[in-house]
Amino acid sequence: MLAYMHIPFCDSKCPYCAFNSYTNQSKLKQTYMQRLIEQLRFELEKFNVQKGEINSLFIGGGTPSTIPASWYAPLFEMLSPYLSKEAELTSEANPHSATQAWIAGMKELGINRLSFGVQSFNTEKLQFLGRNHSPKMAEEAIINAHHLGIQNISLDLMYGTALDTPHLLREDLKYARMLPINHLSAYALTLEEETPFYTQKNVINSEEALARTFVQEIIDAGFPQYEISNFGSYESYHNKGYWEHQDYLGLGAGAVGFLHHQRFYPAKKVEDYLQNPCYQAIEELSIEELHVEKIFLGLRSCVGIDRTILNAKEEENVALLLQENKLTCKNNRLYNKDYFLSDELALFITR
Ligand code: SF4
């Protein structure tokens, strides 16, 4: 079982970002952390979580490093009996707010993996993306995390911005690989509705060749690809858990939980969440919907698809893809050879 905790606060809002995050609600932070405890208590009971059953906690956002480490302590106190010994405990962090004291405090609580929102090591690109840190700040935060004994460190890079050229991306990667990281996520810039970038012209470069070259260079730099956007010698347990359809608790405003065939959606707006942290909208998923999701998720990642779940028509389509060398089959599991084609292949199989 997995747990996800959402921190919907940021120091500043990036113009491309559609995540549930706010910059003007700092005064609500402390109450928010208290409400998270209420929801956690409720979820542990609802999911009937047993001692040692949670294998991964992921604190995401927003920006988890905008909350002082000590404010997480009561949550960890409540959660710790339910965490397995080897649990992967990840927090996202931004170079701007992940100070040495914050990292040390989170390590003290048990965090053993940090994922830094870096996006680029190019000053101009960082400004273009509205990021509030410099390349040096990102470098220092990651080196601090390493010196403070965080075992697993990841960073996010963004590609597909109007400023990107093969040279710029190569430089970003060169900088990244000099740092003590064992995981890297690379996301293409997408234009999300209701963000300032959405209405702007010339912010994006969606050339497939640029993306393909960058991905190949990441792999060649020693970060094997295990999902469409994730690379590294260390494969995140949490990420894989989602793709394997494991159950997960979803804590916080705008988080999502999943149990068997239901998804749970707590209130998205912080004020609404504070009013009632245990309220959730419920989405019932049909067997058919879960089946299609398994095919989509399996093709986007190294998890693959259990061939025995396929119906006769899907099996026919798979046979064609195997013939065309688009898929491989090992121990009755199907694997995608080209993650850029994930959605296309999934649509072909389920058509
Ligand atoms: S720091 Fe992350 S979550 Fe916050 S606005 Fe920027 S991209 Fe969005």
Side-chain angles (χ1 to χ4, degrees):
M1 190 175 294
L2 317 169
Y4 173 80
M5 189 188 292
H6 192 76
I7 302 296
F9 306 106
C10 286
D11 288 328
S12 58
K13 188 79 186 173
C14 308
Y16 56 87
C17 175
F19 291 134
N20 192 37
S21 71
Y22 306 88
T23 53
N24 54 356
Q25 292 183 321
S26 281
K27 58 182 188 310
L28 301 179
K29 284 179 182 171
Q30 224 159 349
T31 321
Y32 183 80
M33 298 309 281
Q34 286 159 8
R35 295 292 184 273
L36 278 178
I37 297 176
E38 283 174 44
Q39 196 202 343
L40 176 59
R41 189 179 295 120
F42 171 79
E43 299 293 344
L44 289 169
E45 212 176 297
K46 185 177 85 191
F47 277 66
N48 190 22
V49 183
Q50 303 299 305
K51 298 244 153 80
E53 205 188 349
I54 296 179
N55 295 316
S56 168
L57 166 72
F58 191 101
I59 308 176
T63 308
S65 48
T66 57
I67 300 285
S70 60
W71 294 9
Y72 288 99
L75 280 154
F76 275 82
E77 209 173 296
M78 183 177 283
L79 200 56
S80 63
Y82 300 96
L83 296 172
S84 67
K85 271 208 187 85
E86 303 297 319
E88 178 186 271
L89 304 176
T90 307
S91 178
E92 289 183 333
N94 269 1
H96 179 256
S97 45
T99 59
Q100 239 175 329
W102 185 84
I103 298 169
M106 294 304 274
K107 165 117 194 336
E108 190 81 2
L109 294 172
I111 288 291
N112 50 29
R113 183 166 183 262
L114 282 177
S115 174
F116 286 93
V118 171
Q119 315 315 341
S120 177
F121 291 99
N122 177 292
T123 306
E124 205 189 330
K125 182 167 159 186
L126 286 172
Q127 282 164 3
F128 173 78
L129 291 172
R131 304 293 301 188
N132 59 5
H133 65 266
S134 64
K136 196 79 198 145
M137 281 162 88
E139 179 184 337
E140 278 170 9
I142 289 168
I143 289 176
N144 282 339
H146 177 67
H147 285 154
L148 287 163
I150 299 290
Q151 288 155 275
N152 297 306
I153 304 177
S154 177
L155 63 81
D156 292 354
L157 290 178
M158 185 168 276
Y159 65 92
T161 77
L163 299 190
D164 286 322
T165 60
H167 176 73
L168 191 154
L169 291 174
R170 205 165 295 133
E171 290 297 304
D172 269 347
L173 185 57
K174 205 159 112 191
Y175 208 136
R177 66 187 293 198
M178 287 187 320
L179 296 171
I181 58 170
N182 59 4
H183 188 279
L184 202 152
S185 301
Y187 299 102
L189 173 64
T190 48
L191 297 181
E192 305 285 349
E193 275 182 52
E194 290 175 32
T195 64
F197 266 16
Y198 191 68
T199 48
Q200 278 179 38
K201 294 207 166 65
N202 305 329
V203 286
I204 205 161
N205 175 352
S206 47
E207 252 177 67
E208 190 179 320
L210 184 81
R212 280 191 179 271
T213 308
F214 186 45
V215 162
Q216 193 53 52
E217 287 179 354
I218 296 173
I219 298 167
D220 295 344
F223 296 91
Q225 186 176 23
Y226 70 104
E227 195 252 1
I228 198 158
S229 310
N230 286 286
F231 306 80
S233 52
Y234 177 86
E235 295 182 359
S236 159
Y237 183 88
H238 198 88
N239 289 351
K240 282 175 82 177
Y242 285 147
W243 310 327
E244 286 163 353
H245 257 177
Q246 287 195 35
D247 294 331
Y248 47 90
L249 280 69
L251 304 159
V256 183
F258 177 69
L259 181 63
H260 307 317
H261 53 85
Q262 289 185 317
R263 286 224 165 83
F264 306 101
Y265 299 90
K268 201 168 168 196
K269 276 174 70 182
V270 178
E271 291 93 338
D272 294 344
Y273 179 79
L274 295 185
Q275 291 279 324
N276 186 359
C278 300
Y279 160 82
Q280 1 213 284
I282 299 177
E283 178 190 16
E284 295 280 347
L285 295 158
S286 66
I287 292 175
E288 180 56 25
E289 283 167 330
L290 286 169
H291 175 80
V292 170
E293 262 187 29
K294 268 187 192 151
I295 293 176
F296 271 84
L297 292 174
L299 290 176
R300 288 172 71 95
S301 69
C302 64
V303 165
I305 306 167
D306 173 4
R307 205 167 169 177
T308 61
I309 68 164
L310 300 178
N311 62 36
K313 179 73 189 133
E314 289 164 349
E315 184 55 48
E316 237 175 66
N317 296 336
V318 159
L320 286 172
L321 294 175
L322 285 167
Q323 247 173 34
E324 286 176 21
N325 216 11
K326 296 260 195 293
L327 296 177
T328 57
C329 184
K330 203 175 157 198
N331 300 330
N332 229 17
R333 281 196 93 79
L334 296 160
Y335 297 98
N336 183 1
K337 293 178 79 174
D338 180 356
Y339 293 130
F340 277 100
L341 298 180
S342 309
D343 289 354
E344 226 172 300
L345 295 179
L347 287 170
F348 183 83
I349 293 173
T350 55
R351 70 197 165 133

